Amino acid sequence: ALYNRAIGYTMTGQYDRAMVDLDGLLDAQPDNHRVRYARAIARFEKGLYPAAKEDVEILLRYGKPVDQLFLEALNRALSTDE
């Protein structure tokens, strides 16, 4: 239920609320890659690019797929954020 609520928050631009739910889920289930990916997206949308990158790096380390367009957008945001 928290995951679905977090996705709803993300879809409506309520990124802080989404991240609270997603952080709680990851505290309980740190290996839940679907939740980590959702948090990466919420962090990205909030402009927290280094934090989003941390989540993406964990996903890639575990061999989990990450959308190529999302990776490109994150890399662009990181390069302009420096």
Side-chain angles (χ1 to χ4, degrees), residues 34-53:
R34 184 174 73 152
V35 172
R36 187 167 304 280
Y37 193 38
R39 187 174 72 176
I41 292 169
R43 286 174 160 183
F44 173 83
E45 294 295 343
K46 177 77 176 168
L48 303 173
Y49 306 127
K53 181 182 178 188

Side-chain angles (χ1 to χ4, degrees), residues 2-14 18:
L2 282 180
Y3 176 79
N4 290 333
R5 185 171 74 178
I7 296 303
Y9 284 149
T10 299
M11 292 175 66
T12 58
Q14 299 177 67

Side-chain angles (χ1 to χ4, degrees), residues 24-67:
L25 287 167
L26 282 171
D27 285 344
Q29 304 171 19
D31 293 333
N32 189 324
H33 302 297
R34 184 174 73 152
V35 172
R36 187 167 304 280
Y37 193 38
R39 187 174 72 176
I41 292 169
R43 286 174 160 183
F44 173 83
E45 294 295 343
K46 177 77 176 168
L48 303 173
Y49 306 127
K53 181 182 178 188
E54 288 176 23
D55 281 337
V56 167
E57 287 174 344
I58 291 169
L59 292 166
L60 294 174
R61 192 174 319 128
Y62 284 96
K64 299 301 174 185
V66 177
D67 182 79

Side-chain angles (χ1 to χ4, degrees), residues 44 49-50 52-53 56 69-79:
F44 173 83
Y49 306 127
K53 181 182 178 188
V56 167
L69 293 175
F70 177 64
L71 282 175
E72 291 171 9
L74 178 58
N75 286 329
R76 275 194 307 276
L78 285 165
S79 68

